[in-house]
Amino acid sequence: MDDYILRPYAPGDRDGCAALWEQVFGDPAELVTQFLSLFEAQEGFCLLAEHSGEIAAAAYSLPGLTVLRPGRPDLPARYLYAVATHPVHRKNGLAAALCRGLRDDAFVQGALLLTKPAEPSLYPWYAEKIGAVPAMPCRRVTVTTPCGGDVTPLTPKQYSTAREARLSGVPHVRLPDALFVWEHLLHKHYGGGFYAVNGGIADIYAGESLELPELLADVPEAAVGALLRQ
């Protein structure tokens, strides 16, 4: 770690961060720059590890989340996102150091730090490195049979509004508008969108199969079946 400098993101880091993100996650740099444009004005949104003037690792802490607990005070939160280390610089503890730094910054601000690891295998890593613990359960449903039903596209704002209405009175995390805009940019690039379906709502990616990062519906199987029919 002696050869690395940990520091906050600066406007001149945009190209370097986009290139690192593209190499690690595969999203094109042009798309990543749109993400940076959405969030870079927010103080503390990114922490970097620099080596010899090059960005070796980066991690993002997105502001504006709120943990809603009916009957109890709301809690401000930030979203730990897109933790990336250049392959040449791995095994040096950079990702863990960046995540701890963002966690500590969030705590100083009186906010929780939330994350959603891409794979279940990453849960132990976050538990070990930053003391993360499971906060909200997630259910997986696999559906292969199409069925009928109404499917209507929604704008990011319409989806956000419908989401809050559906989750009213239920413990959940309210997300900022910028996150829905970013999700919509991903939809436009990879396929998918926000939809109202059979009385519920769904956030989907449409490739060889449908992937639903979020589905809020009374009968999930019927909602997914209707989406498969489209």
Side-chain angles (χ1 to χ4, degrees):
M1 287 290 291
D2 292 342
D3 295 332
Y4 295 93
I5 298 171
L6 270 58
R7 62 171 179 82
Y9 173 95
D13 295 318
R14 178 183 285 198
D15 290 346
C17 283
L20 174 65
W21 184 311
E22 182 174 27
Q23 175 155 19
V24 173
F25 300 118
D27 301 312
E30 295 83 358
L31 180 62
V32 179
T33 57
Q34 295 181 72
F35 166 83
L36 296 172
S37 295
L38 279 170
F39 292 101
E40 64 185 358
Q42 304 286 339
E43 184 178 355
F45 102 106
C46 176
L47 190 61
L48 305 175
E50 183 181 293
H51 181 271
S52 300
E54 300 292 330
I55 297 174
Y60 300 84
S61 175
L62 308 184
L65 287 72
T66 305
V67 179
L68 301 181
R69 306 178 299 167
R72 303 175 65 188
D74 297 343
L75 298 174
R78 300 179 70 96
Y79 181 24
L80 178 62
Y81 186 65
V83 180
T85 304
H86 191 287
V88 171
H89 298 284
R90 289 175 184 167
K91 307 299 183 183
N92 289 308
L94 298 179
L98 294 177
C99 289
R100 285 194 293 268
L102 292 174
R103 176 202 61 190
D104 294 347
D105 287 346
F107 288 177
V108 166
Q109 297 170 27
L112 299 175
L113 186 67
L114 308 178
T115 192
K116 182 183 177 185
E119 301 291 340
S121 61
L122 293 173
Y123 283 45
W125 187 90
Y126 283 99
E128 176 188 351
K129 302 302 182 184
I130 62 172
V133 296
M136 293 187 178
C138 181
R139 177 187 175 195
R140 288 184 175 269
V141 176
T142 300
V143 178
T144 58
T145 304
C147 67
D150 296 325
V151 178
T152 305
L154 299 174
T155 66
K157 186 61 178 178
Q158 287 172 331
Y159 184 85
S160 172
T161 300
R163 183 179 186 270
E164 287 307 306
R166 188 165 188 90
L167 291 173
S168 177
V170 177
H172 70 282
V173 179
R174 184 172 62 213
L175 307 175
D177 290 343
L179 269 176
F180 292 105
V181 173
W182 168 236
E183 187 78 356
H184 186 57
L185 291 171
L186 291 170
H187 291 151
K188 291 170 66 176
H189 184 80
Y190 291 108
F194 296 120
Y195 293 92
V197 52
N198 281 354
I201 57 172
D203 171 6
I204 75 168
Y205 288 100
E208 294 181 359
S209 61
L210 291 181
E211 295 185 13
L212 285 77
E214 182 171 72
L215 172 64
L216 302 174
D218 295 332
V219 185
E221 294 79 4
V224 177
L227 289 167
L228 289 173
R229 194 177 184 86
Q230 300 302 302

